[in-house]
Amino acid sequence: MKNYIIHDAWNIIEEGFLPEYNRISESIFSIGNGYQGQRANFEEGFGGETLQGSYMAGVYYPDKTRVGWWKNGYPEYFAKVLNATNWIGMTLIIEGEKLDLHTCQVKDFKRILNMQEGFLERSFIAILPSGKQLRIKAQRFVSIVQKEIGTIKYRITPLNFSGNLDLTLFLDGDIKNEDANYNEKFWENIYQNVQAETATLTIKTKKTGFSLCSATTFEIFQKGNPITLETSPVQRDKYVGHQLRVPLVQNEETTIYKFVAQVTSRDYPAKDLITQAQKALQDAFAKGFETLKMEQAQAWAKKWEDSDITIEGDIAAQQGIRFNIFQLDQTYTGEDARLNIGPKGFTGEKYGGSTYWDTEAYCLAFYLATDAPEVAKNLLLYRYKHLPKAIENAQKLGFKNGSALYPMVTMNGEECHNEWEITFEEIHRNGAIAKAIFDYVQYTGDKSYLADYGLEVLIAISRFWAERVNFSEEKQKYVMLGVTGPNEYENNINNNYYTNKIAIWCLAYTNEIIGFVKGTQPEKLQALFEKINFQEEKECAKWYDIVQKMYFPYNNALRIFMQQDGYMDKEQILVKDLDKSNLPINQKWSWDRILRSCFIKQADTLQAIYAFENEYDIETIKRHFEFYEPRTVHESSLSPCVHVVLASKLGLKEKAYELYLRTSRLDLDDYNNDTEDGCHTTSMAGTWMSVVQGFGGMRLKNDTVAFSPIIPEQWRSYTFKIMHRGSLLRVRVSKENVLLENLSDNVVNIYIHDELCTIEKNSSLMAKGK
């Protein structure tokens, strides 16, 4: 765990130059706008440890899987969101010496991510080997108003000399992914051109054929006025730029403005990319940096108005939740149904940047409550449009009859994960997609989605479960063999509790929805049955039988469900009894040792209790939590938030608070020593869940919202907003009371501590705290 980020309510602050943490900071200080993103690399480059990263949403490459042998059904590639053109680049050579923080002395270094207004800034004094001293101040952002635009304001002041700066402003498309399986470069050159003050570069991915066009221009100011300098074009393969000699005067500031527009063939025909990029660039340049920055601040103010969570009395907790919300809003806007939410967002390359089950299991709730319903609906439609590929994925594994297995990792609906135990065994992801349909309909009331899209997906998933189970003659029960649950520290196990539970829930829910659509839109139901050759009586009867006869391992002495067969055969050791030098075990132990241990990456059984909480009484929840949490090492970023929700329900305020800090500051404090590869973007939605569903106790009840808030001892109050079925509610919880405000023109019924209350439009209600 690191502790170098300065605590601040609205800013992420790093003071002092810490090259050993540079890659971590590059992840934490990343910027994005849902269309493109940029790691916090230095504009002038860095000769030390760094991961250069610029990313364009939806642009990927099918990197050939690297394995020693092949298996039937094994994915041929691992899809990777690509490191794209380095648009921030500039080289500064001062009287023959290159500015590089790796080789010069650095003083007064400060880096700030301004989350309130959406920009990154950095300042420092560099002392070159010759003794020359420079003060540098830089700001940059990618616009959430004009998504194609990234812009930089870079100020340089010589402190103890006058001399010449040889400046190169460039676009570099000759880049590669750090995680390329065969060290291959994935881009090829299509077009490049340098004119007097503009440069254009178009590159294209191999195989997938995505084209990216980047266009750039610049301005240089001294004494508050633009200056004109002679430029020389610079070109080599996939690299374009301008060289200039800039006279520097001691103690006088020179300001460099760089503007870049980036467009892809996902949005425009390839033949129009140059025109579109240049048009966007001209519009941005005409506005200028300060106007673009003002628009950025205004747009972020609107985002915060809808999604902010305030915490009084605990600056670390406040910074943590805002950082998580900021990264979520930077990553996904819901404007493009072809896009989804990668586990690292725009902050790194690990996990390929592709779509995982995290979206449905963790992220959907955040977007349902903080944005228009269409945003969440687009996440569901993304999966609906990939249904043919999900059926194809199942067919590759030998399943028939329209069974669908949604991929563990995907860009286009096709499975592309390259670890056997996850690709073929972690099938619970199917259940998360079905549960997302349920959650969306329950939250929005949009039941039309079921007949139009949802039921077709539910039937295909249920067909998969019906094929995947088998009947055990010995147990006289249905069993699920050879799976991996959410707890990936157990592979190829039998009867994982979460997997079995969500499977029978899917089957029961699909039967229920068939009945609902039959009663409301029978014509659509009949058309769907004909389309997919559905044998209602036979298939529904089989599903019902599985629901009634599914096997769940249970320990009678402990009165808890086991997370899988044979769990109690393991040596039972609690995490608190482990020497801390063993943690994290995924970086200290062999995989063989991990698999034989009782330690849990994230608790499968508690995940099921969280998902289906209404089926368990409070004593049952307590027994399971007290057994599983002490054995959980929380080395999955998705783990602590679920425990916060359950601990809050049980009134375990200290445990809930401890785990809240872990999830909210997972990346800021680098809890698991893995932030250097990128932030854990999808788990950030879990931080929002921790506050709203955990401490706030928000649930759905009888088509309305219910709250049962608690408050950690460390907080004076906390406040959040949710949107629900056209109404905007603000909830403020203090130790004394709960203030519920209806900020809409609708009369709203809500539950507070199980008591039904009515709040008139644009009015409020006060309840006692607990």
Side-chain angles (χ1 to χ4, degrees):
M1 176 177 165
K2 317 298 187 299
N3 190 25
Y4 72 97
I5 298 298
I6 305 300
H7 293 179
D8 184 273
W10 276 109
N11 301 288
I12 308 302
I13 303 170
E14 176 186 11
E15 290 185 343
F17 185 50
L18 303 168
E20 68 273 24
Y21 293 159
N22 186 57
R23 279 185 53 144
I24 298 171
S25 292
E26 287 177 343
S27 298
I28 291 172
F29 289 83
S30 295
I31 55 175
N33 64 3
Y35 176 78
Q36 61 175 311
Q38 173 67 49
R39 281 174 63 85
N41 310 119
F42 299 159
E43 288 88 352
E44 67 277 0
F46 183 60
E49 187 65 26
T50 183
L51 172 59
Q52 182 72 42
S54 302
Y55 308 101
M56 301 300 299
V59 176
Y60 70 94
Y61 182 82
D63 195 12
K64 183 172 174 57
T65 300
R66 189 168 188 170
V67 292
W69 66 93
W70 218 257
K71 306 176 180 76
N72 287 337
Y74 208 78
E76 295 183 0
Y77 67 89
F78 189 81
K80 293 172 178 176
V81 168
L82 296 188
N83 193 356
T85 297
N86 173 14
W87 63 270
I88 66 171
M90 54 180 71
T91 303
L92 292 87
I93 299 176
I94 300 94
E95 296 290 317
E97 293 180 287
K98 184 178 180 182
L99 176 60
D100 183 346
L101 273 62
H102 184 56
T103 57
C104 66
Q105 183 182 345
V106 181
K107 293 173 54 180
D108 300 337
F109 182 93
K110 191 171 189 177
R111 179 162 30 189
I112 301 174
L113 181 62
N114 185 319
M115 299 183 291
Q116 191 167 23
E117 298 182 11
F119 67 89
L120 173 65
E121 62 182 347
R122 180 171 57 107
S123 61
F124 59 91
I125 292 174
I127 303 174
L128 302 177
S130 65
K132 294 183 177 67
Q133 296 186 23
L134 305 160
R135 177 184 291 116
I136 304 294
K137 296 181 179 180
Q139 292 184 341
R140 74 167 180 251
F141 59 92
V142 289
S143 173
I144 63 171
V145 178
Q146 194 174 345
K147 65 181 183 180
E148 302 88 356
I149 298 301
T151 185
I152 301 168
K153 179 181 181 180
Y154 195 94
R155 294 179 284 172
I156 178 169
T157 304
L159 299 179
N160 63 351
F161 72 98
S162 296
N164 289 320
L165 161 66
D166 290 314
L167 173 68
T168 304
L169 301 168
F170 62 85
L171 300 171
D172 184 6
D174 190 23
I175 36 76
K176 66 180 182 181
N177 275 47
E178 183 181 59
D179 65 350
N181 284 340
Y182 295 91
N183 207 32
E184 179 185 5
K185 291 184 177 180
F186 302 138
W187 296 97
E188 57 187 10
N189 198 347
I190 298 298
Y191 173 84
Q192 57 188 72
N193 178 263
V194 182
Q195 298 181 351
E197 293 179 348
T198 62
T200 306
L201 175 67
T202 302
I203 55 178
K204 182 179 180 180
T205 60
K206 301 173 184 177
K207 295 185 182 179
T208 45
F210 293 106
S211 292
L212 164 63
C213 179
S214 306
T216 184
T217 190
F218 63 91
E219 267 188 312
I220 299 178
F221 280 67
Q222 290 182 338
K223 296 182 178 180
N225 297 306
I227 62 173
T228 301
L229 298 168
E230 182 178 345
T231 65
S232 300
V234 181
Q235 293 197 61
R236 58 178 184 262
D237 185 43
K238 292 179 280 190
Y239 181 103
V240 294
H242 298 90
Q243 282 185 344
L244 311 90
R245 172 157 286 186
V246 184
L248 301 179
V249 178
Q250 184 173 341
N251 293 322
E252 290 187 7
E253 185 177 84
T254 296
T255 303
I256 304 161
Y257 293 101
K258 184 176 182 180
F259 303 85
V260 180
Q262 302 202 94
V263 296
T264 78
S265 57
R266 293 182 70 257
D267 299 304
Y268 302 103
K271 64 181 178 61
D272 297 335
L273 290 181
I274 294 172
T275 301
Q276 292 294 339
Q278 291 177 346
K279 180 180 182 304
L281 182 66
Q282 291 165 5
D283 291 345
F285 185 75
K287 288 182 178 180
F289 181 90
E290 299 303 334
T291 297
L292 290 169
K293 186 166 174 279
M294 179 188 68
E295 291 179 348
Q296 180 84 342
Q298 292 170 345
W300 269 105
K302 177 65 176 109
K303 280 184 175 288
W304 285 116
E305 183 181 333
D306 295 334
S307 61
D308 189 24
I309 291 177
T310 61
I311 297 171
E312 293 183 298
D314 190 339
I315 201 72
Q318 176 67 88
Q319 184 183 46
I321 187 61
R322 282 198 174 126
F323 176 68
N324 285 261
I325 293 171
F326 180 72
Q327 290 292 356
L328 286 165
D329 280 336
Q330 283 199 127
T331 301
Y332 183 76
T333 64
E335 295 173 4
D336 188 342
R338 298 171 297 172
L339 297 177
N340 209 279
I341 306 161
K344 293 290 184 181
F346 292 117
T347 70
E349 299 170 15
K350 192 175 180 182
Y351 303 126
S354 307
T355 305
Y356 283 63
W357 74 295
D358 309 21
T359 293
E360 288 78 19
Y362 294 86
C363 299
L364 183 70
F366 170 79
Y367 294 104
L368 277 171
T370 63
D371 221 321
E374 291 74 25
V375 173
K377 186 174 182 178
N378 275 343
L379 291 174
L380 269 64
L381 288 173
Y382 176 90
R383 296 293 196 179
Y384 173 77
K385 292 173 182 177
H386 286 174
L387 179 58
K389 282 289 186 182
I391 293 172
E392 183 181 309
N393 293 334
Q395 288 173 342
K396 289 178 181 177
L397 304 185
F399 293 88
K400 303 173 183 177
N401 192 36
S403 295
L405 176 59
Y406 276 91
M408 188 64 188
V409 176
T410 192
M411 288 298 299
N412 64 0
E414 188 173 29
E415 177 64 75
C416 61
H417 199 283
N418 57 2
E419 294 178 29
W420 177 271
E421 68 276 9
I422 295 175
T423 304
F424 300 102
E425 294 184 350
E426 205 162 332
I427 55 177
H428 63 81
R429 75 253 192 175
N430 250 13
I433 291 163
K435 183 67 163 49
I437 295 171
F438 171 85
D439 290 339
Y440 168 79
V441 173
Q442 290 292 105
Y443 198 90
T444 65
D446 179 15
K447 294 183 178 180
S448 65
Y449 185 84
L450 295 168
D452 293 341
Y453 307 105
L455 182 55
E456 186 173 355
V457 173
L458 291 170
I459 289 174
I461 289 173
S462 292
R463 282 174 157 175
F464 172 83
W465 292 126
E467 278 199 82
R468 185 60 172 78
V469 301
N470 60 275
F471 190 76
S472 166
E473 291 293 339
E474 179 181 336
K475 290 182 171 66
Q476 287 295 295
K477 295 280 188 180
Y478 288 95
V479 294
M480 191 96 70
L481 308 178
V483 302
T484 296
N487 171 34
E488 292 168 346
Y489 289 176
E490 297 276 8
N491 301 154
N492 198 33
I493 58 174
N494 297 333
N495 297 307
N496 171 256
Y497 183 78
Y498 177 75
T499 307
N500 287 17
K501 180 67 178 177
I502 205 160
I504 66 166
W505 176 86
C506 288
L507 295 169
Y509 181 57
T510 306
N511 267 340
E512 176 189 331
I513 298 309
I514 287 173
F516 169 75
V517 176
K518 183 181 292 185
T520 56
Q521 294 177 283
E523 300 86 1
K524 282 192 175 182
L525 185 69
Q526 187 57 40
L528 174 61
F529 284 176
E530 292 175 4
K531 174 185 175 182
I532 63 176
N533 191 28
F534 187 68
Q535 308 299 312
E536 181 182 4
E537 183 176 349
K538 178 182 176 182
E539 295 191 57
C540 289
K542 176 67 178 295
W543 298 349
Y544 179 81
D545 193 50
I546 295 170
V547 170
Q548 297 303 308
K549 298 176 182 175
M550 179 65 84
Y551 169 72
F552 294 97
Y554 187 78
N555 187 297
N556 290 308
L558 296 170
R559 294 195 297 152
I560 62 171
F561 289 104
M562 292 287 96
Q563 67 172 22
Q564 78 261 348
D565 284 345
Y567 179 76
M568 293 306 292
D569 292 336
K570 296 170 177 283
E571 183 181 7
Q572 297 297 311
I573 305 172
L574 304 186
V575 176
K576 70 178 180 62
D577 296 326
L578 265 182
D579 189 301
K580 294 232 181 333
S581 65
N582 287 287
L583 299 173
I585 63 173
N586 63 11
Q587 296 171 24
K588 302 296 181 64
W589 288 7
S590 70
W591 194 241
D592 169 73
R593 186 179 180 187
I594 289 172
L595 292 178
R596 288 186 289 107
S597 79
C598 71
F599 296 117
I600 300 166
K601 186 180 183 184
Q602 65 184 96
D604 296 338
T605 308
L606 296 186
Q607 185 85 26
I609 291 173
Y610 163 75
F612 307 111
E613 180 187 286
N614 290 339
E615 298 183 24
Y616 305 88
D617 62 44
I618 195 71
E619 288 303 318
T620 299
I621 297 173
K622 185 172 185 289
R623 284 197 304 274
H624 283 81
F625 188 89
E626 290 177 346
F627 180 82
Y628 283 110
E629 199 285 326
R631 292 163 170 78
T632 303
V633 290
H634 298 295
E635 289 171 13
S636 166
S637 64
L638 301 174
S639 180
C641 59
V642 168
H643 291 74
V644 174
V645 175
L646 294 178
S648 297
K649 183 177 181 65
L650 294 170
L652 304 173
K653 289 185 181 182
E654 280 304 310
K655 175 56 71 174
Y657 177 75
E658 169 201 327
L659 292 171
Y660 165 79
L661 283 184
R662 180 161 187 148
T663 186
S664 67
R665 301 191 63 86
L666 179 74
D667 291 307
L668 290 177
D669 295 335
D670 194 24
Y671 266 86
N672 290 339
N673 296 324
D674 58 1
T675 302
E676 65 177 23
D677 295 321
C679 294
H680 298 80
T681 306
T682 51
S683 74
M684 290 175 171
T687 302
W688 180 90
M689 286 164 43
S690 296
V691 175
V692 177
Q693 297 179 3
F695 300 127
M698 191 197 93
R699 304 289 191 274
L700 294 184
K701 183 176 180 179
N702 299 332
D703 289 331
T704 189
V705 287
F707 301 98
S708 297
I710 64 169
I711 184 168
E713 295 301 323
Q714 294 83 349
W715 299 358
R716 290 197 301 272
S717 73
Y718 62 97
T719 305
F720 60 87
K721 291 180 182 177
I722 66 160
M723 288 183 275
H724 180 256
R725 300 197 181 185
S727 298
L728 179 62
L729 302 174
R730 180 163 54 207
V731 181
R732 183 181 186 275
V733 181
S734 67
K735 289 181 170 60
E736 295 77 28
N737 53 55
V738 180
L739 176 63
L740 299 137
E741 296 177 89
N742 178 7
L743 305 178
S744 59
D745 292 329
N746 310 313
V747 176
V748 175
N749 293 316
I750 66 167
Y751 288 89
I752 178 71
H753 295 304
D754 293 324
E755 181 181 346
L756 182 62
C757 303
T758 299
I759 310 179
E760 298 297 326
K761 60 182 182 180
N762 298 305
S763 62
S764 61
L765 173 72
M766 188 79 76
K768 287 186 177 181
K770 281 194 176 181

